[in-house]
Each structure stands twice: as structure tokens, then as C-alpha cells.
Amino acid sequence: MAQRGAFIVFEGCDRAGKTTQCKKLVDALNRKNVPTEFMNFPDRSTAIGQIINDYLQKKIHLPDKAVHLLFSANRWELEPKLREKLESGISLVVDRYSYSGVAFSAAKKGMDLQWCWNPEIGLLEPDAVFLLNLSEEAAAMRGGFGQERYENLDFQKQVKENFMAMKSSSWKLIDADKSLEDLHLEIMELFNKVYTTSHGTPFKRF
Ligand code: DGP
Ligand code: NA
Ligand code: NA
């Protein structure tokens, strides 16, 4: 049986460069013959994901708790696919996961971390979480927010605090205020450490 793939989650506030770095990591690993796939949450392509998309684009309104459970259901509906890929030896680089779920939902009034965490219990746990951290000043220099729900400064500050409150020893806090290439190299090194720990051998020799 193939050795299980590594499962890496990227988290962070909006505009930290997560999606770009996820895709660069996936490409680099595939070039080094580490079979790797990109996934992202919310996955807007499913029926549940389409409701989430309408909610984020402010086309519909939903109560906070209901929408939190939809985001969570979106992760659960893809859980069999994640499991299957990891078990077949494919590594996964995932752009947002349960931690975004909890950090964003708990930033709302009347929602707390524990309530938000409950529907996430039992989902596959990543080998590592890479938290891309960008100061407000550096983020502001990257241009304005988009038009989607949650894309405002006060909300994002609360989200960042929530990420910090959830952080555990398997999280790598990464300063995202550097060039694309420098950030990519740092992430490759970190991935190599995680891969070596879970697989016993590095994926590349130095
Ligand atoms: P993205 O497509 O990565 O830009 O994510 C869409 C937005 O949804 C982003 O602001 C983060 C937020 N988000 C991601 N997962 C969850 C979740 O489970 N719950 C809530 N409330 N928001 C989430
Ligand atoms: Na966004
Ligand atoms: Na709250």
C-alpha cells in the first residue's frame, strides 16, 4: 500500500497570499515527483458551495449559525475525497480549512470558538498548519479589499486574534511580508521538515 500523503493546510487573513503560495508549493512538489494536489475551502463548486458563494457575495442572507454549519458541511461532504487521496499516497495542500471556519465565524457577535469548533470534530487533522501572517500595514499596501462579506479591517483583526487563540504546536507561523520567491523557499523548507517527520525520509536531499 502507498504511504499516506502529507496533509498541509494554509490559513491566514484575506490577502496574505495563501492561494498563490499553495499553488506554487503544489507545482514545485509535483516537479520533485511528490504527487500533490491543491484543494480549497469553501469549495464553491458543490450545491452547498453555491449557497455559500451566494452568501459571501451578499446575494442572500442567512443566520450566522446556519451559515457556519453550511461551511462545515462543505468540509464534511469532501472528507471522503480527502481521505481517499491521502490514503492513495497523494499529498494535499489545502487553502483554508476548519481553522478559517472557526476564526471567521467566531469573529461574529454571539458566536464563540467552542460552539464553532463542535461540527469540525472528527474531520481529518492536517500534519501541519502554515499560518501566513501579514501586518495590517503590509496588507494595506497590497491594495483594497474586495466586495465580499468579511473583507473589512475590523473583522479581519478579530479573525487574526482567533487564529492566534487556536494556534498549537503543529502550526508554523510564517511572516508573509516578503517576496513571493523568498516566501516560497521558506515554505518549501517547512514542508520538507513536515514531510520528513511524517514519512521518515526527506523528499529531497540537500
Ligand atoms: P476564499 O474563497 O478563500 O476567499 O474564502 C472565502 C471567505 O470565506 C473568506 O473571507 C474566509 C471565509 N470562510 C472560509 N471558511 C469559513 C467558514 O467555515 N466559516 C465562515 N464564517 N467563513 C469562512
Ligand atoms: Na476572500
Ligand atoms: Na464572537
Side-chain angles (χ1 to χ4, degrees):
M1 210 175 89
Q3 193 165 17
R4 181 188 174 283
F7 178 15
I8 307 294
V9 166
F10 277 67
E11 291 286 7
C13 291
D14 289 306
R15 285 189 310 176
K18 284 184 308 303
T19 307
T20 306
Q21 290 298 330
C22 283
K23 291 185 171 167
K24 280 176 84 73
L25 177 59
V26 169
D27 288 346
L29 291 174
N30 281 311
R31 280 198 303 274
K32 288 181 183 294
N33 299 316
V34 181
T36 309
E37 291 186 20
F38 171 79
M39 293 179 78
N40 71 298
F41 290 103
D43 180 334
R44 304 185 193 210
S45 70
T46 68
I48 293 169
Q50 278 160 34
I51 304 173
I52 293 171
N53 184 55
D54 286 348
Y55 172 80
L56 287 170
Q57 295 186 352
K58 302 174 190 163
K59 289 179 185 152
I60 56 170
H61 176 76
L62 286 164
D64 293 334
K65 289 191 168 73
V67 85
H68 181 71
L69 295 174
L70 288 176
F71 275 104
S72 184
N74 187 231
R75 288 181 278 277
W76 277 108
E77 69 177 328
L78 287 150
E79 193 257 1
K81 188 173 160 191
L82 263 78
R83 185 180 293 278
E84 191 185 297
K85 286 189 185 294
L86 290 169
E87 283 174 359
S88 74
I90 296 169
S91 289
L92 295 178
V93 173
V94 179
D95 186 358
R96 297 191 190 282
Y97 196 56
S98 302
Y99 316 98
S100 272
V102 175
F104 279 77
S105 285
K108 300 172 179 181
K109 284 193 187 67
M111 303 279 282
D112 65 47
L113 292 170
Q114 189 55 54
W115 192 93
C116 294
W117 186 252
N118 279 334
E120 308 297 318
I121 293 172
L123 282 170
L124 289 170
E125 274 181 48
D127 297 311
V129 176
F130 292 175
L131 181 64
L132 294 196
N133 196 35
L134 195 65
S135 68
E136 265 86 48
E137 297 75 39
M141 287 181 39
R142 293 189 176 182
F145 284 115
Q147 296 303 307
E148 287 206 328
R149 210 180 280 271
Y150 307 145
E151 294 187 328
N152 70 77
L153 202 57
D154 287 342
F155 195 84
Q156 299 281 328
K157 276 186 188 162
Q158 187 57 54
V159 169
K160 191 188 274 189
E161 277 180 34
N162 290 343
F163 277 129
M164 292 307 177
M166 273 186 280
K167 200 173 161 294
S168 73
S169 59
S170 66
W171 289 43
K172 315 285 177 206
L173 186 58
I174 303 171
D175 177 7
D177 189 15
K178 49 175 75 86
S179 76
L180 278 185
E181 272 318 310
D182 287 350
L183 190 52
H184 172 64
L185 289 175
E186 186 176 337
I187 287 168
M188 285 293 283
E189 293 302 317
L190 285 170
F191 180 88
N192 200 21
K193 279 186 197 147
V194 173
Y195 192 87
T196 305
T197 306
S198 62
H199 288 69
T201 52
F203 71 89
K204 62 172 180 177
R205 311 231 173 256
F206 291 100

